[in-house]
Amino acid sequence: MKPIVCSFALAYLLWLSCTPAPMHARAAGGHLASLPKRAMPGEFGGVCDIRVRGEKLRTRARIRYHEDGVAVALVDELGVALALVTADSSGTEVAKTFPPMGHASAGPAGIYMRALLLAIEREYRTAGVFVGDLLPEHTVLVYAGGRTPDSLHVRKQAGHVYAGIISASRYVVLSPSRDTLMVFSADTPFY
Amino acid sequence: MSAVRIPFILLCLVLIPLRSSAANLDSLLAFYADRLTSHPYFAASFTQSRHLAMFDTPLVSTGTIYFAAPDRIRFHYKTPFESVILLSQGTMKRYRIENGEYVEQPSLEIVAKAITREITRYLSGEFATEDFPYDATIDPQNNRHMVLIPSRSAAKAVFERIEITFPADPVYIKEIKLVEPNGDFILVEHEKPSFDELPDSLFSALP
């Protein structure tokens, strides 16, 4: 009986050692984040700090992610919309923006939104590796496969808000000032 | 002669009820303005819901409003994060409160001012004045419900209409609904009103 048990334990250990490690992303700070099988549809959001003309502005963000597309808004406590963006699942079209981003713009924002979403989706589906580097003030830098944010066309764009998914329950928004990416999770207080 | 008289009489028949209705509306507006300004101070807890078509659920803020006629207002928000908005004699200041400290926030003056200015107008009963830039109507079935339609293009660009609901004794406004041209709206509900005198310091700039 004993040799059988030992053999079984040895085989199990061997199997474990040969099995690929669970897919995960390692943040620069050393955090581990489980990768999702697929993103979780729903509404997420919470309080966040963004920078407007170099000054910190506390506001709140809301993201609605569903199969048909994504909607993102920055809305202050008074109810003033700092930015509203919607895009369909292909990333096409963006609704509108408000000050301080300037006038509403459909074309370029839609294209870059699409580029961002496609990039995130592609990496998410294939390599499945996203690195969330959580910085103070809810800032997060997101990049995939060791690439810089620039390669995701995240940091080159001006004047709009973008959204993406970094895990099943974590969503990311790029602020209008382009220097802040905010991350929200399902357990972020929701207002 | 009779050919002239008949249209004149018909015209009078049409105009008299209109005039009477307008006079009735004017007197109702004056009545509401009079009741609202019967208390120079007003404080209440509020719930402010921002409804955007792009989301399933509204964005909700809560806090306390303090108002001193004619134009001083203080919003003290508890959620989504503690903050203060001060509007006094046309100037606006915004602060977030971090660890008990008041930190001034960069402000989107134009839009925020427009909203706070509108709320101030109604609280001080300005809708009864001649230069009020809205056409007011009161629901004949429900005298406590007033609808304001912007009559000037600047206001039209921001609001499609504003709905005001009064309590049984209209000494304060129970609800204000600011509806945008695309159907999105902000609903402000006041509860637990108080009319005690408020200190000036409440409306002055914070350190």
Side-chain angles (χ1 to χ4, degrees):
Chain A
M1 200 64 178
K2 256 186 179 176
I4 294 172
V5 172
C6 285
S7 303
F8 182 78
L10 198 64
Y12 178 67
L13 286 172
L14 194 65
W15 177 78
L16 274 184
S17 66
C18 293
T19 304
M23 287 184 17
H24 61 253
R26 182 181 293 277
H31 305 291
L32 294 176
S34 298
L35 277 177
K37 292 293 179 200
R38 58 194 168 91
M40 184 191 297
E43 287 189 15
F44 297 85
V47 175
C48 61
D49 293 329
I50 64 171
R51 295 208 172 269
V52 176
R53 300 182 206 101
E55 286 186 86
K56 187 168 95 173
L57 172 67
R58 181 155 294 173
T59 185
R60 61 187 159 178
R62 172 75 61 89
I63 305 163
R64 179 167 178 256
Y65 182 80
H66 52 103
E67 289 185 353
D68 299 328
V70 64
V72 186
L74 296 178
V75 182
D76 73 8
E77 71 274 34
L78 189 62
V80 177
L82 314 180
L84 299 171
V85 179
T86 58
D88 64 21
S89 53
S90 69
T92 307
E93 183 25 54
V94 166
K96 54 186 175 181
T97 59
F98 282 81
M101 278 71 70
H103 300 293
S105 169
I111 294 164
Y112 296 130
M113 178 75 153
R114 181 179 181 183
L116 172 66
L117 287 177
L118 288 180
I120 288 176
E121 288 287 330
R122 186 174 61 244
E123 294 302 321
Y124 166 71
R125 285 183 187 146
T126 55
V129 177
F130 271 94
V131 181
D133 180 10
L134 204 56
L135 299 172
E137 298 179 3
H138 310 288
T139 304
V140 68
L141 301 175
V142 176
Y143 47 99
R147 287 194 267 162
T148 66
D150 278 349
S151 69
L152 282 180
H153 301 278
V154 171
R155 296 208 139 209
K156 290 178 182 173
Q157 328 318 336
H160 298 279
V161 177
Y162 305 95
I165 309 141
I166 55 173
S167 74
S169 58
R170 296 174 78 207
Y171 292 76
V172 67
V173 180
L174 174 66
S175 77
S177 52
R178 293 168 293 139
D179 59 0
T180 309
L181 278 160
M182 296 156 284
V183 67
F184 301 94
S185 58
D187 56 359
T188 303
F190 187 72
Y191 296 104
Chain B
M1 190 71 175
S2 62
V4 176
R5 258 185 205 164
I6 291 168
F8 178 74
I9 291 165
L10 285 174
L11 187 66
C12 287
L13 287 173
V14 171
L15 286 180
I16 287 167
L18 283 179
R19 203 177 155 198
S20 152
S21 160
N24 190 32
L25 176 65
D26 285 347
S27 63
L28 261 177
L29 292 177
F31 167 72
Y32 282 127
D34 186 53
R35 293 301 295 148
L36 274 176
T37 51
S38 63
H39 296 289
Y41 299 99
F42 167 65
S45 59
F46 69 82
T47 303
Q48 191 175 317
S49 316
R50 178 63 155 123
H51 295 253
L52 295 166
M54 62 203 282
F55 296 122
D56 293 332
T57 53
L59 292 102
V60 178
S61 304
T62 59
T64 307
I65 180 175
Y66 303 93
F67 173 71
D71 61 0
R72 291 181 299 165
I73 196 164
R74 176 192 175 109
F75 292 100
H76 193 135
Y77 286 89
K78 289 294 178 194
T79 63
F81 52 90
E82 194 170 12
S83 64
V84 168
I85 295 176
L86 290 177
L87 189 75
S88 180
Q89 294 159 340
T91 59
M92 198 178 81
K93 293 273 186 188
R94 299 181 72 159
Y95 303 87
R96 62 178 183 273
I97 301 174
E98 287 183 14
N99 306 318
E101 299 273 313
Y102 286 78
V103 182
E104 192 162 351
Q105 289 254 88
S107 186
L108 301 171
E109 292 268 335
I110 298 170
V111 187
K113 248 185 172 176
I115 291 175
T116 49
R117 174 76 186 110
E118 290 305 316
I119 293 172
T120 308
R121 276 176 189 279
Y122 316 134
L123 292 175
S124 58
E126 265 188 48
F127 44 76
T129 60
E130 280 187 7
D131 61 345
F132 189 60
Y134 293 86
D135 296 324
T137 55
I138 293 178
D139 185 348
Q141 306 299 321
N142 177 7
N143 271 356
R144 293 175 200 160
H145 190 69
M146 182 188 293
V147 178
L148 305 168
I149 307 290
S151 56
R152 292 178 195 164
S153 57
K156 278 181 188 170
V158 183
F159 302 115
E160 181 194 86
R161 68 182 188 282
I162 290 149
E163 298 175 21
I164 294 178
T165 305
F166 295 96
D169 183 8
V171 288
Y172 74 101
I173 289 174
K174 193 162 177 54
E175 283 181 14
I176 303 174
K177 187 176 178 182
L178 304 138
V179 184
E180 295 172 10
N182 64 358
D184 290 345
F185 64 92
I186 297 174
L187 178 67
V188 185
E189 298 164 278
H190 295 136
E191 286 184 344
K192 300 176 192 163
S194 149
F195 306 98
D196 297 337
E197 186 172 351
L198 299 169
D200 284 347
S201 59
L202 210 54
F203 305 99
S204 60
L206 300 165

